[in-house]
Amino acid sequence: MSTATSEPVLALQGVTSGYGPVTVLRDVSMEIAQGEIVAILGANGAGKSTLLKSAVGLVCPSAGVVAVSGRDVTGHAPEKIAGEGIVLVPEGRQLFDTMTVRENLLLGGYTRPRGEREESLERVYSLFPILKDRLEQRSSSLSGGQRQMVALGRALMARPTLLLLDEPSLGLAPIIIKETFETLARLREDGMTILVVEQNAAMTLRMADRAYVLQRGEVLMEGPAAELEQDPRVRSAYLGDVSEQPRRDPAAHVSGA
Ligand code: ATP
């Protein structure tokens, strides 16, 4: 699946990006090493999704460098970056609702050799056995948790080196959120590298190796997840610790890394 390298699987160096005249990310640098789970925390509108989109080529940086395993891919087309093994599971799943589960899954593997598809499908079924019973159902008929399984399965069909997840727990029931996190832990045990944006900071920090906190498009803090989990500023802003009083913007009182 992934190739061992001393270079980070993904590195952003001084990335500035946004939408037309609107700058969202400013001078953002981060690295994800082989086998790591890295979390991105931040308030609504902090730029987390924009960061993921900048990494996969859906948003083109106006400054800075995006590098995949040491190769500069800044400004490359999304399909080219996906071909490098950097695959996004977008916020809201974004399945093709009129297509069946099987068709949605196969779409994820369309850049891969045909001979690989059945093996990849089997791997998806081993992670999500219930999907095997739903293959011919339209994805619109699935529950939220099953839709998340298809979205993750579709991404895995591309045999990613790095999986980017945008709010995987959004809209899911607590028991399904727990199962989703367990799936991510299993993927990590299999050697997958994961960059995850999540509102559920407590569960995410427990799972992650390292984390970055974004505030208004800039990296405010970074470090080992276990350290950030204990940081009073993070506890106050993202973990619901009422002993610290957050201000209007939940991270506005955090003064530096
Ligand atoms: P959320 O948790 O609410 O999704 P986020 O941290 O992921 O927040 P982004 O979705 O990256 O934040 O949005 C950052 C800013 O960019 C917001 O002010 C948002 O309104 C703006 N933005 C996002 N997408 C677009 C777009 N397509 N065109 C213009 N502005 C956008």
Side-chain angles (χ1 to χ4, degrees):
M1 192 176 304
S2 46
T3 317
T5 168
S6 55
E7 295 282 355
V9 178
L10 176 72
L12 273 61
Q13 292 147 7
V15 166
T16 294
S17 64
Y19 307 91
V22 181
T23 298
V24 174
L25 294 185
R26 283 181 195 81
D27 196 20
V28 167
S29 296
M30 64 174 55
E31 288 187 0
I32 296 97
Q34 171 82 47
E36 277 193 308
I37 296 187
V38 174
I40 302 171
L41 307 180
N44 286 344
K48 306 180 295 298
S49 298
T50 304
L51 189 152
L52 296 186
K53 289 178 190 166
S54 302
V56 299
L58 290 170
V59 170
C60 183
S62 56
V65 173
V66 178
V68 173
S69 300
R71 292 184 301 279
D72 186 347
V73 298
T74 321
H76 288 199
E79 59 273 21
K80 194 148 182 246
I81 296 179
E84 299 269 354
I86 310 300
V87 176
L88 173 67
V89 181
E91 185 173 336
R93 323 333 157 196
Q94 297 185 21
L95 302 182
F96 291 93
D97 278 346
T98 56
M99 293 169 72
T100 65
V101 168
R102 184 181 165 84
E103 287 166 341
N104 269 283
L105 290 175
L106 285 174
L107 269 182
Y110 84 101
T111 56
R112 307 293 304 182
R114 270 180 172 275
E116 213 179 75
R117 289 183 195 160
E118 286 307 317
E119 189 191 325
S120 299
L121 280 171
E122 287 302 326
R123 182 169 147 66
V124 172
Y125 304 152
S126 74
L127 265 179
F128 307 116
I130 198 169
L131 292 187
K132 204 167 180 176
D133 303 328
R134 303 275 189 279
L135 285 179
E136 301 312 322
Q137 274 183 229
R138 286 190 178 196
S139 63
S140 57
S141 69
L142 301 178
S143 69
Q146 291 164 358
R147 291 171 69 78
Q148 180 60 276
M149 290 177 202
V150 177
L152 251 174
R154 181 178 60 183
L156 293 172
M157 290 292 293
R159 304 264 180 142
T161 313
L162 170 65
L163 204 49
L164 282 71
L165 299 154
D166 197 349
E167 306 271 9
S169 76
L170 193 72
L172 299 181
I175 179 74
I176 308 296
I177 293 175
K178 187 166 166 282
E179 285 173 16
T180 302
F181 275 80
E182 284 166 3
T183 302
L184 299 184
R186 278 180 66 188
L187 289 173
R188 187 246 286 273
E189 280 167 21
D190 288 349
M192 183 64 72
T193 307
I194 296 173
L195 177 61
V196 58
V197 161
E198 248 301 329
Q199 293 287 343
N200 195 328
M203 285 178 94
T204 308
L205 286 175
R206 275 202 297 277
M207 173 183 69
D209 300 299
R210 292 189 302 112
Y212 293 83
V213 177
L214 272 190
Q215 184 187 319
R216 298 192 198 105
E218 296 182 39
V219 174
L220 190 66
M221 303 174 75
E222 62 179 279
E227 278 178 26
L228 288 181
E229 199 182 355
Q230 296 307 320
D231 189 296
R233 300 163 296 175
V234 172
R235 295 186 70 82
S236 160
Y238 302 106
L239 301 175
D241 184 344
V242 289
S243 64
E244 297 275 327
Q245 291 300 312
R247 294 182 191 164
R248 190 165 47 88
D249 177 334
H253 62 300
V254 181
S255 57

